[in-house]
Amino acid sequence: EVRLVESGGGSVQDGGSLLLSCEVSGYPITIKSNYRLGWFRQSPGEVREGVAAVDNLGNTAYARSVKDRFILSVDFTKSVLTMHMHNVTSEDSGMYYCALDPVGGFAREWLIIRPGPDAYWGQGTQVSVSS
């Protein structure tokens, strides 16, 4: 069974930092497997939007609003995807979901068109930025 478990959300002040983690089990995250792995966020009344993603070819993509502030990395030994969030603003508030698509490449396009029906999702972790 494939499982994605997010952690690290919480409340943070405007301009602060936060670290989100997504632990993947039941699916190999290695250089030999096919995957797209990333973070998507959703605010009340809004559609879920792509934040950052990485694929098995090493391509990394970021939404324009978080580029140069958020940093994505993968720990292959633990199958954990982390996202360092720096200089956050109220616009970064929302429920953050980790997603895994068992197909390779095209992280940038995947971030825009969002995962398809075969994707796996975590339960989400809430991020609240206050001024």
Side-chain angles (χ1 to χ4, degrees):
E1 178 189 6
V2 178
R3 290 190 66 208
L4 282 69
V5 179
E6 303 100 333
S7 62
S11 297
V12 60
Q13 287 200 320
D14 190 66
S17 298
L18 209 60
L19 175 66
L20 300 187
S21 296
C22 171
E23 184 172 357
V24 181
S25 60
Y27 189 87
I29 304 298
T30 71
I31 58 174
K32 294 184 179 181
S33 60
N34 291 324
Y35 66 85
R36 297 167 186 163
L37 195 57
W39 291 96
F40 295 77
R41 70 184 175 198
Q42 188 169 21
S43 300
E46 303 288 334
V47 298
R48 196 170 295 187
E49 61 176 356
V51 178
V54 62
D55 64 36
N56 62 304
L57 301 179
N59 300 307
T60 305
Y62 296 92
R64 189 173 299 178
S65 62
V66 307
K67 191 172 174 57
D68 298 328
R69 296 189 299 118
F70 291 12
I71 302 172
L72 205 61
S73 61
V74 180
D75 184 335
F76 293 102
T77 64
K78 299 179 181 178
S79 294
V80 173
L81 173 72
T82 60
M83 183 167 71
H84 285 79
M85 305 167 63
H86 299 290
N87 195 23
V88 297
T89 73
S90 58
E91 299 291 316
D92 296 319
S93 294
M95 184 69 80
Y96 282 72
Y97 297 91
C98 181
L100 167 68
D101 228 329
V103 292
F106 301 101
R108 184 184 184 90
E109 291 78 5
W110 185 65
L111 200 64
I112 296 171
I113 67 174
R114 294 189 288 276
D118 293 331
Y120 301 93
W121 292 89
Q123 296 291 328
T125 185
Q126 180 70 40
V127 172
S128 299
V129 182
S130 58
S131 56

